[in-house]
Amino acid sequence: MSTLTIDEAFEHDRLSDAEKDQWAKLQKKVRKHAEKLSAQRIFGDAADSGVVYRWGVAAALRSACPANWQLLSRLAATGKLSPRYSKSIDLVRLAEDFCDDVPGPRADALESTQAVLWAAAMPWLTDRLPTRLWWDLLGKLQHSAEQQRECDQADATARLILGGELGLTMAWRLKDLPSCHRMREASVKVVKEWLNAEGDAIADAMRGGRNARLVAASLLRCEDLFAATTKSSFTKRQRAIASDVATWVAGLTSPGGQPSLLIDDARVDEAVPDKYFRDDVGGAVSAQPKRPIKQTTGLLERMCRWDPETLRPAVEAALGVSQSGGRLAWSVSLPESLIHCDDAKLGVMLPEWDVRRGRTVIDYSQPDCRIEMCCGRKQLLAGQWQTMIRFGGIEQNSEGEWESTCEYSDDDVHYLEFEQPWSGGLMLQRHVMLLRDDRCAMLADSVLPSPEADPDDDRLIQYVSRLPLARSVQARDELETREVYLHAKPANSSGAKTRKKKASSLADALAIPLSAGEWRVGPSAAQLDATDDGVLVLTAEARTALFAPLWLDLMPKRFKRKRTWRTLTIADELKRVPSDQAVGYRVQMGSDQWIVYRSLRGQRVRSVMGKHLIADFFAARFHMDEGDFEELVTVEGSQDD
């Protein structure tokens, strides 16, 4: 026989000496081909120590790359086992466990990438696994790839990695097996179909934020495999789609290389070290700006090849390697600083790409949004933004997914708005606004009755919002007002001298509950408190409808200025509008002033501070010297507007 079939291999113990010799020849042939067209020839320096197969793994796991992955990635790329891990890991048991739980039709990106890793290591497993197990593993990998190729969802991330990259890897590594060699053409088609799906494919890949790096890594490996093993290549448009994926990766990267939204369900005891993400970061991007992109090891470096003029400065700015503000902003081409996909339900809001200006990331793909807000290099908020609502004394619950209702961006402001249906006929609308040059932000919720609700239904709405502070943030109350200072310092770093300083001199941000009374003495329908477990709790009460805005000043040099905020009077035909129909607020920090208006019921022309409005939401700077408004954003009541 010229080659062994899987069934014949299963009966290997009963093969004749001649047939066993044929199997040995096949093993040698497979390994020889793997050495001739090695991973180093395909992937360049990124194949060193198997780095190319570890890209994005730590980011997806939110922890260090596991020892078994370290072992297999080195074997797959170099054909060698690391002494550090080989003595403690049973490779046979590892393969058996994978065969028992091989990725199926609903595999996630990490499981799919693991299958690619096993496929890349197959030539070096021929003499390290029992023959029967090796062929069993081969069959499982082939079946997994075939399942995904037959999937009719062209934009699915698993189809890209399993149906596309896995097939390409097997056709490259096991070219001498006809069943593997035949997978190449179909796999190329799958990868191109995924890229041609464009926005839908990116939305599926970015949902939740975990898989961005894994997808970028798969695309990089596929492109290299195209060039080395096929007669195909990415088109200009397909490289542009890959560049869009890379832009998301850059936008979701923190200084040090950590991915955004690292904290998911709860505050953890220890920070995730930057060293876990070294395989993604590689060397400093700007250390050798003329270095060929092929000769780089990091994912963030390598993906810059899709659009060096745009992606390289974006990655450098995200990592803090260089600055993107000032004159540099005019001399480089940077991506848009608001990256939002309503299908992925994920948004990244950057005042500038310069890491010193901070960033806000919002993921609304889950019932409770996840938020990460940075002030410069320091995290202020990180985790789940939870909401509780009681209506007429009855606890209410969310009853559907968040849906984007408004997106707006210009040189002054980034604004996102989305809503979620709740029981009791209520709708929760969430507003996230970032004032780019002013270095302020507003996080707000509106609790609205359904349009069919009885206008005379004045049951009490009791609202609680829980915003998670980052683990390093300490919150200190302003003694006389209801403001809260936030400063990102480790709890054990405060010495005697530090404790003597005023809270304002230590703060990185100032949180202001606009709907609350300014002074702590006296009643207030809203309250802002910081809990011992690191949560900012904003509570509010109102009848019929409610707006609960939290203003965040992110410019510490303003904290020593005189400041105040006030609830404004809203008028309609010379009559005062009750707070269940519309509300307005003014906040002043020294000479800087802003106003916020929110309509809660009805489409009416109303006036606030002499400004006539017919809008659901309005925000503006107020210039006191001239008495006029500089409009920032106006939402006029429909998604089209």
Side-chain angles (χ1 to χ4, degrees), residues 331-370:
S331 61
V332 299
S333 173
L334 286 164
E336 294 294 330
S337 54
L338 173 63
I339 315 172
H340 175 234
C341 178
D342 52 1
D343 289 330
K345 302 183 187 299
L346 183 66
V348 181
M349 309 169 78
L350 305 102
E352 298 289 347
W353 276 91
D354 190 341
V355 71
R356 299 174 308 163
R357 300 296 304 278
R359 175 187 55 200
T360 299
V361 181
I362 186 81
D363 170 28
Y364 55 101
S365 63
Q366 303 175 15
D368 287 324
C369 291
R370 293 187 298 160

Side-chain angles (χ1 to χ4, degrees), residues 356-359 373-381 434 438-441 469-476 484-491 493-494 498 502-512 536 551-560 563 589:
R356 299 174 308 163
R357 300 296 304 278
R359 175 187 55 200
M373 177 177 284
C374 298
C375 179
R377 295 174 179 267
K378 302 174 183 177
Q379 271 193 349
L380 292 178
L381 305 175
L434 186 65
D438 295 340
R439 297 189 67 180
C440 296
L469 296 174
R471 70 178 61 81
S472 63
V473 171
Q474 290 181 314
R476 297 187 182 182
V484 175
Y485 291 105
L486 306 176
H487 58 98
K489 299 291 183 181
S493 67
S494 298
T498 301
K502 293 183 179 180
S504 60
S505 65
L506 296 172
D508 297 292
L510 179 65
I512 304 174
L536 271 183
W551 188 269
L552 294 165
D553 192 332
L554 307 176
M555 186 179 286
K557 71 179 183 181
R558 280 198 294 250
F559 298 169
K560 294 182 180 180
R563 59 185 184 270
M589 306 289 289

